[in-house]
Amino acid sequence: MGWPSSIRRWLKQKLSHRPLTLACRSLACRTLALCLTVAVAAGALSCRHAPPVDPESPASVKSSEKHSGESPQPVEEPAVREEAVPRQAEPPSSDPRGVEPVPAPASESADAALPRLVRVGLATDLEEVTFPCCDSGVTARLGRFDLTNTAPLRIEPAFSSDQRGFFRLQVSALKDEGQAQQLALRLEGELSQPVDSRFDAESGLYKVRVGRYSTREEAELGKRSLEALGLLGSWVISEGAGLAEPAMKVRQGGKAYLVHGRWVTLLKAGDTGVSYGSHRYRGKLGVFLNDRGRLNVINEVPLEEYLRGVVPKEMGPLVYNEEEALKAQAVAARTYTVFHLGEHAAEGYDICATPRCHVYGGVTAEHPITDRILEQTTGQVVAYGNSIADTLYTASCGGHTEDVEVVFPTLLDRPYLDGVRCGEAGPASLQGGQVRGLPFPAAVTSRVFPSAAGAKRSGEKGAEVFEQRLLALASRVDLPAPRDGLDSLRRGEIRRFVASAFDLALDPRLLARSKELEQRLRNPPASWGAESLRQASYLAETGLFSGGDKEVLPEVERENLLFQLAQLLYVLKATETRFLDLEDGQLKYRNEHGTHLVELPAGVPTFRRQRGELSTAPLRLVAGDKLSLIWQGDRLEALVQPVEPRKAGFDRRNDRAVWTRFHSDTKLGKQVQERYPGLGFQGFEVLSQGDSGRVGKIRLLGNGGRSVEVEGLAVRWTLDVPETLFTASRQKPRGRAPGWLFRGRGWGHGVGMCQEGAFGMAQRGHSYQEILSHYYPGTGVQHLHDLARTSSVKDAGP
């Protein structure tokens, strides 16, 4: 709910009073107090109850031992969003590098929230958590009491006598959230027992669990009903009861401390981090008691410190050793994090530490190169309009990324996640239609304003030829021919003739003999408007004013004069674009007005910069390269690659770029059985594909004519392939079980920025802003502070 700024300021003053802060540190209590305050101040307003995730609510600590004193007051923690939008999208990646964050809707209020802290779920649903001895400088904050880590600390849930746990049957652990939810709903209907699907932050899997049995024996009996449905191999697990009075027990050296509340926090002085498992983490480590009576381990860390442990895990700085590619990765990772903040708020954390979100390695993963890259891009994010973008990225896209709705059917409101050609596919070749080596722009002007056959281009006859070509240009804009002709090719004479022929279209003062044009450009007359300045700038490039009046204007400068005059008079027009693709004799490009296709005329000249000079040559273009297009009306007259790009290393072909997999019918049958019990497996057929060729939907064919449709990234997990950009053929190899041979390209989900392609673009000299704008069309890089000032997002409250 959002309130006017005046009310919010008043509420902040009221809520900042110390008695209220001390009495109501828990988020639930603060929310209730806030509602009461608003009701008094502004009438009856509704207020939703927030999830209990405040990391340091007041806790009473009980022990049989007396202690010497209390620690300082706990640091006030930032409020967690009152609305956590439930996840609706994708599963974790099987990518061993963990390079594919997968999307999920997030509250629009995250767009400009200027987050300073990120809570990372390291592990969930643990029966106990142990921190070994002795991490110097680490203390466990038990409410207002600090316990030094001088001996191993063991934390476990503490239940009252009426809070008993129960047993459940885990039937599956799936990568796809949608498939896990569908299985849970189906089993709940068929078994008439409680069934749910929960995300496990440590494994990145969605675990489907059935029933609530009082004893292990009852759970074992319950397995029989699952076997009747074809669900074999389920196993018994224990689960905590719901929480009536949340509390935890902390044990150290034979002493036990009862902590009322949901949080125990570990802190360390200095900047070396707190250890958990095989990693060290900056900031704080929190143990959170969830609603199931189990423990979640969470790292609370400043945003930029968190990214230090993410970027080198997502894009190794020694392998992808191009700074602009690493900057693009850093900005994309920061943007994705901010977009998904609050996603798991009910579990006490924002984002997980697996490929399902971001691979996060804490202090252990940090690297000096990426630390420097992050410092150079601090606070920068990708924005679409005034909103933060959902910057998905993938390891290798096989040459073309895909429209988001093909892979993630529920995500329909992200126009910046349209598929684009990727440099990973290698350069596209375009052979021009003229003799190689002709200079620019002479090859264009000789095509648009040709000389008469056999005409001499120098001496007196040369003057006649050039006069006729200038008059041909004047006639294009309906200007009358001057009374006298061009007597010579001297600079002064050409300037006189141009002023005579074009004085109705140009400011005649631009071509006056008395003053040099460069002087006027440095000190333009007050009467000159924008059009006169534009004309003067163009004419300054012709060379017409660079020498004495009696000097002959060289041929190259005469051709340039024709070209500049043609642009001044809008006969020719140059537009700056970004190359996207070549499709069946058509050029696909993007400019400020969007994406376009244009037919390539036969013989159209192509120009490339070589050794500093532009001349006709074949083009080798990678998606995102700059490309100037020269037009005459709607006809494309020339293509110019204005920058000589460095060679890109697209020979990095490996099992991520091109792969094959053979899966027997038996293996695929097990995959299908786990997701769709009782269906059976007789084969599958492809129902739809995206523009890149990725499979968008398949139909699984089961026993007895039954079938089920699978779409999006769930296709990848069901068929157990690295990507959905594949072809499949039925195989019956000798001496082996029959099955399916998959041939594919890419690795990941194929949406958003391709890391291999970003690396290639950086090798060709593209900036990180250009890389990001290519893979996220219509976006730009902004700073979070600027975005916060301009965005019109929903207010998160006081």
Side-chain angles (χ1 to χ4, degrees), residues 285-354:
L285 281 185
V287 179
F288 172 72
L289 183 63
N290 63 36
D291 286 340
R292 296 174 297 283
R294 288 293 184 260
L295 304 176
N296 298 346
V297 180
I298 295 161
N299 178 209
E300 182 182 86
V301 60
L303 172 62
E304 297 298 328
E305 299 294 304
Y306 162 70
L307 292 171
R308 293 175 67 184
V310 168
V311 176
K313 296 289 287 185
E314 295 286 0
M315 203 170 190
L318 299 181
V319 176
Y320 296 92
N321 54 352
E322 287 285 343
E323 287 200 359
E324 295 304 304
L326 292 172
K327 287 179 182 179
Q329 176 64 65
V331 175
R334 181 182 295 108
T335 309
Y336 180 89
T337 301
V338 177
F339 185 92
H340 290 271
L341 285 175
E343 202 167 70
H344 301 274
E347 294 292 313
Y349 63 93
D350 295 306
I351 200 165
C352 62
T354 70

Side-chain angles (χ1 to χ4, degrees), residues 42-286:
L45 297 177
S46 63
C47 192
R48 275 174 284 196
H49 184 73
V53 293
D54 194 8
E56 290 185 1
S57 58
S60 66
V61 182
K62 298 182 180 180
S63 173
S64 59
E65 299 292 326
K66 293 184 179 180
H67 299 279
S68 59
E70 292 187 350
S71 66
Q73 291 289 331
V75 178
E76 185 70 19
E77 300 295 333
V80 177
R81 299 181 208 297
E82 296 190 11
E83 290 185 330
V85 180
R87 183 184 295 272
Q88 298 176 4
E90 288 355 309
S93 164
S94 62
D95 186 341
R97 282 194 307 117
V99 292
E100 5 172 330
V102 187
S107 169
E108 289 181 359
S109 63
D111 285 3
L114 293 179
R116 289 188 290 180
L117 294 174
V118 179
R119 290 175 180 160
V120 190
L122 304 178
T124 52
D125 281 341
L126 303 178
E127 294 186 14
E128 66 175 44
V129 178
T130 299
F131 294 95
C133 177
C134 297
D135 198 350
S136 177
V138 171
T139 56
R141 178 156 294 173
L142 316 181
R144 297 177 189 151
F145 177 80
D146 284 355
L147 188 62
T148 305
N149 182 214
T150 55
L153 290 170
R154 189 176 76 186
I155 305 170
E156 59 191 42
F159 301 113
S160 61
S161 58
D162 61 341
Q163 289 179 285
R164 299 177 58 189
F166 46 82
F167 296 90
R168 309 195 72 188
L169 293 170
Q170 183 161 312
V171 299
S172 190
L174 303 178
K175 294 179 179 179
D176 188 79
E177 181 183 17
Q179 287 184 325
Q181 290 177 344
Q182 290 173 16
L183 178 58
L185 288 172
R186 175 189 165 186
L187 293 177
E188 189 170 46
E190 294 182 354
L191 296 171
S192 298
Q193 294 188 59
V195 186
D196 54 45
S197 166
R198 292 198 185 100
F199 179 67
D200 177 62
E202 189 168 18
S203 66
L205 299 175
Y206 293 88
K207 297 181 176 180
V208 181
R209 294 176 174 176
V210 174
R212 286 183 174 85
Y213 304 99
S214 300
T215 65
R216 182 175 292 274
E217 290 73 21
E218 289 180 7
E220 292 289 349
L221 290 174
K223 292 175 65 174
R224 298 179 183 176
S225 58
L226 297 181
E227 292 170 357
L229 294 175
L231 276 170
L232 306 176
S234 61
W235 64 95
V236 178
I237 57 99
S238 64
E239 192 167 290
L243 298 179
E245 297 179 5
M248 286 179 282
K249 188 175 291 185
V250 179
R251 301 180 185 274
Q252 185 187 54
K255 301 175 183 178
Y257 308 89
L258 183 63
V259 180
H260 290 289
R262 289 182 179 267
W263 286 91
V264 170
T265 304
L266 274 77
L267 311 92
K268 182 172 183 176
D271 195 37
T272 57
V274 183
S275 294
Y276 175 71
S278 59
H279 294 82
R280 299 182 71 83
Y281 299 95
R282 299 186 186 277
K284 305 175 185 177
L285 281 185

Side-chain angles (χ1 to χ4, degrees), residues 41 53 147 174 181 197 215 290 312 356 383 404 419 421 464 480-481 491 504 506 560 714 726 797:
V53 293
L147 188 62
L174 303 178
Q181 290 177 344
S197 166
T215 65
N290 63 36
R356 173 62 180 82
V404 64
R421 180 181 171 88
E464 294 177 12
R491 294 179 188 273
L504 296 180
L506 301 177
N560 196 41
F726 65 80

Side-chain angles (χ1 to χ4, degrees), residues 414-494:
R414 290 155 173 77
Y416 50 83
L417 290 180
D418 285 347
V420 298
R421 180 181 171 88
C422 176
E424 186 190 3
S429 296
L430 182 58
Q431 179 70 46
Q434 288 193 311
V435 177
R436 186 166 184 165
L438 294 178
F440 179 85
V444 176
T445 51
S446 62
R447 175 185 173 94
V448 179
F449 309 106
S451 304
K456 294 183 179 180
R457 301 174 64 87
S458 61
E460 294 184 2
K461 291 292 184 182
E464 294 177 12
V465 171
F466 193 53
E467 175 188 337
Q468 294 304 313
R469 296 177 73 198
L470 286 170
L471 291 177
L473 172 59
S475 68
R476 298 281 185 92
V477 290
D478 297 325
L479 293 176
R483 294 181 180 179
D484 50 351
L486 180 64
D487 294 335
S488 72
L489 293 175
R490 293 177 179 177
R491 294 179 188 273
E493 174 63 9
I494 291 176

